Structure formats: structure tokens, C-alpha cells
Amino acid sequence: MAQLRLDDPSPFIHYDETFRMATPYGDGAISFYSDGGTYHGTNTVNSAATITFNGTGITLYGAKRYNHGTVTFHDTAASVLSGELYLAGAYTVNLDGEDTVGQGHSGEPIFGFVMYNRQNLNNGPHTLKLSNTPTNATAKKSYWVDIDYVILTTEVADKSVNIDHSKFRYDPQDAWTTNNQVVGVPNDVSLHAVQKKDASATIFFTGSAIDLYGVVCPTCGSFSVNLDGMPQSSKPFKTATGAGEWTKTSQVFFSARNLDDSPHVLRITTLDDQPVALQEAVVFSALNGSGSLLVEGDDKTQQGGLPSSVIILIKRLRVFGWPGADAATVQSYSFDVVVLRIVFDIRD
């Protein structure tokens, strides 16, 4: 088992437009939240945040505060006389179609509050949706719900390798830059950034799981994700913190689990002309290899024949319309831990 931590601005969490990041100066208690004091909140009825993941558990953290509603209240004197009660400030967590209602009110604030926790799920795909659902929508007071961070429980292989952004394939290459001032991060932060719609970054990897990390900022943009030729969400992955005015590095941009332990192609494509900045990917695999490729019992070396896993990768390159893939022959390849590197000889 392994845990993956999603800070609230992670693009892997999809927020409705009315869910917004708190400003550094708009909340006197913001410093009590984790990761430098950030959270996403909403006081709009039915506004929601959604997380789709592969794993066996999920824990959602937020805060209990005075403006997050109370267990019950009487809206008017008439309702008191009639005994009519309302749930106020309630939130609803829907996991795979099952609703759980929670309350976030506390006269004295409680930070790091466990809003929801489910473990021992089937190891597979799940969708969690958090909604702001006060029963009395006509109440004079607005009631909030917020997200501080999320912990995903997943199963990954013991071996992992970090793939630096410099190893990604960029298109168009001249649109991408290593100038970190594009997103306003310190000079010691290494990255590739782009400010062009329909630009792409492609990662070739061999493994059963991958996490992609990057930078979020006030003016950052959005991207889509395609894994082995399949779109990974109908919603955009948003890296903008907006009015929150936060710039944060090493945020989880995307995560995939339960893949075949074989070669894969991950591509992100920008959806606007706002900056998107990538830092690294972490790949997990149970494969062994040093100088030769070992995949699912296939231990053929270059001299012994072309490994089936290389053939799989070439086919996946064709899915993406990679020029010359149909005519590609493998000149050489090497494999260290879980990274597959192939040099192609392209014939026109």
C-alpha cells in the first residue's frame, strides 16, 4: 500500500467554478491550514469537487468552523413554534453512488478535520464527489464547505524511478522553455513551461503506475490527458489558483494506477495560451532489468530479438500519429529500473 497526497490546488481534483481558492489575506485563520495555509472552499449550494482515482481508500480533510453551518437550526420564530428543523451547512460525499452526509460546524475552529474516510475498497476505479448541500437553501446566512487536502490509498510496485522533465518529448519544441520565471518560481526550481494552446508533452514509460507533477499559479492554464490513446477525463485539468494568488510547486497533475506493467505513452495537451509548467514524473514497476529488457517473462536482448514490449510501444506511437512510426526500426534500446529508452531509425 502507498499513500498519495493531493494538496487542495492539485489539478487532479476537479472543482466547479464556484469552488475557489482562499486568498492569503482574505482569511485570518488561513495559516492554520496545511501546506503553507491553502484551501478551496465554496458557499454555493450544490457546488462540487470531484476526484476520480484508482485505489483502495480515500481520506478527505477540511475544517470545522463557525460559518460551516450547525447540526440543526430554526429559520424563523414560526418554524420554532412548528418544530420545523433544518440541516444547515451540511455537505454530502458521494462515493461510487453512495451518499454520506456530514456536518462541518464548530464554534471553535478545528483544522485537519477528517471530513470523510473510506478504506478497504476494491482495488479499482472510484469517483468521489463532495457537494455543499445545506437543506435550507433559503437561509439568510451562507454556509461553507472546504477542502484542505486529500490522501489516496493505492497499490503500487516497490520499485520507482523519477523521470525529470528534461526527458519528456515536447511539441512544438521551440514553444517550450526552461525559464522558470514564466510561472514565477524560485531559480532553483527546474521545469519546462509553455504558453501556447495545443502544445504537448509526451512521456514514454514502462510501469504499472505513474504520477505527474508540476506548478500551479494564479495565471496558469489547463490541459487534457491522454494515456495510451485514451482520454483520461472529460473535464480539463486546471492549474490556475486564480484570486488565491498562490504559486506552488510539486503538485500532482495526474495519477494512474493498475496499468499493465509494460510500455505506455502519456501525453498532456494544453487547452489555452496560459502557462503550463511540468517538473517530473514518478513511475512504479515490478520489472527487473539492467542493459536488457525484461517484461512479463520476455528476457530477449537486442541480439536475441526484438522484445514484444518494444513492439507494443511502437504500436502505441502509431496511435498518436507519430511520424515515421510505421517505418521505424529499433537501432538500440536500454532499460534501467523502469525507464525504457529507445533510439529509432526512421526511414521515409
Side-chain angles (χ1 to χ4, degrees), residues 184-199:
V185 296
N187 292 331
D188 61 349
V189 177
S190 178
L191 53 78
H192 260 77
V194 68
Q195 299 181 84
K196 182 180 177 64
K197 184 178 180 180
D198 294 328

Side-chain angles (χ1 to χ4, degrees), residues 185-262:
V185 296
N187 292 331
D188 61 349
V189 177
S190 178
L191 53 78
H192 260 77
V194 68
Q195 299 181 84
K196 182 180 177 64
K197 184 178 180 180
D198 294 328
S200 66
T202 306
I203 306 168
F204 305 100
F205 70 97
T206 295
S208 56
I210 185 170
D211 298 324
L212 178 65
Y213 294 86
V215 179
V216 297
C217 72
T219 60
C220 283
S222 301
F223 61 89
S224 62
V225 177
N226 193 298
L227 180 60
D228 296 335
M230 298 295 294
Q232 295 301 293
S233 177
S234 60
K235 299 179 180 180
F237 293 82
K238 300 178 181 180
T239 68
T241 59
E245 299 185 6
W246 293 93
T247 297
K248 305 191 76 173
T249 61
S250 301
Q251 298 297 303
V252 177
F253 271 29
F254 177 73
S255 178
R257 297 288 187 268
N258 300 336
L259 305 174
D260 291 337
D261 215 341
S262 63

Side-chain angles (χ1 to χ4, degrees), residues 308-320:
S308 61
S309 51
V310 175
I311 297 173
I312 292 170
L313 180 57
I314 293 175
K315 290 179 178 178
R316 286 174 177 164
L317 290 173
R318 290 172 183 162
V319 170
F320 281 107

Side-chain angles (χ1 to χ4, degrees), residues 164-181:
D164 185 71
H165 61 88
S166 61
K167 305 300 182 183
F168 301 172
R169 176 188 171 122
Y170 298 101
D171 184 47
Q173 195 168 20
D174 60 359
W176 290 81
T177 178
T178 56
N179 180 4
N180 55 21
Q181 293 309 301

Side-chain angles (χ1 to χ4, degrees), residues 32-101:
F32 293 100
Y33 287 85
S34 67
D35 297 290
T38 65
Y39 69 88
H40 269 71
T42 183
N43 63 348
T44 300
V45 175
N46 294 326
S47 184
T50 305
I51 307 167
T52 299
F53 68 100
N54 263 276
T56 61
I58 184 169
T59 308
L60 182 63
Y61 292 84
K64 297 184 77 170
R65 303 179 66 176
Y66 75 94
N67 60 350
H68 287 210
T70 185
V71 177
T72 58
F73 79 106
H74 299 280
D75 189 32
T76 64
S79 66
V80 173
L81 293 174
S82 66
E84 189 174 9
L85 301 178
Y86 298 89
L87 286 173
Y91 60 85
T92 300
V93 177
N94 183 290
L95 180 66
D96 300 335
E98 179 182 324
D99 283 345
T100 301
V101 176

Side-chain angles (χ1 to χ4, degrees), residues 131-190:
S131 302
N132 191 26
T133 54
T135 308
N136 180 20
T138 63
K140 295 179 180 179
K141 187 175 182 180
S142 297
Y143 291 92
W144 289 81
V145 65
D146 64 37
I147 293 178
D148 189 355
Y149 63 98
V150 179
I151 299 291
L152 302 179
T153 305
T154 68
E155 294 185 359
V156 295
D158 293 335
K159 297 180 181 179
S160 67
V161 66
N162 292 49
I163 305 177
D164 185 71
H165 61 88
S166 61
K167 305 300 182 183
F168 301 172
R169 176 188 171 122
Y170 298 101
D171 184 47
Q173 195 168 20
D174 60 359
W176 290 81
T177 178
T178 56
N179 180 4
N180 55 21
Q181 293 309 301
V182 170
V183 288
V185 296
N187 292 331
D188 61 349
V189 177
S190 178

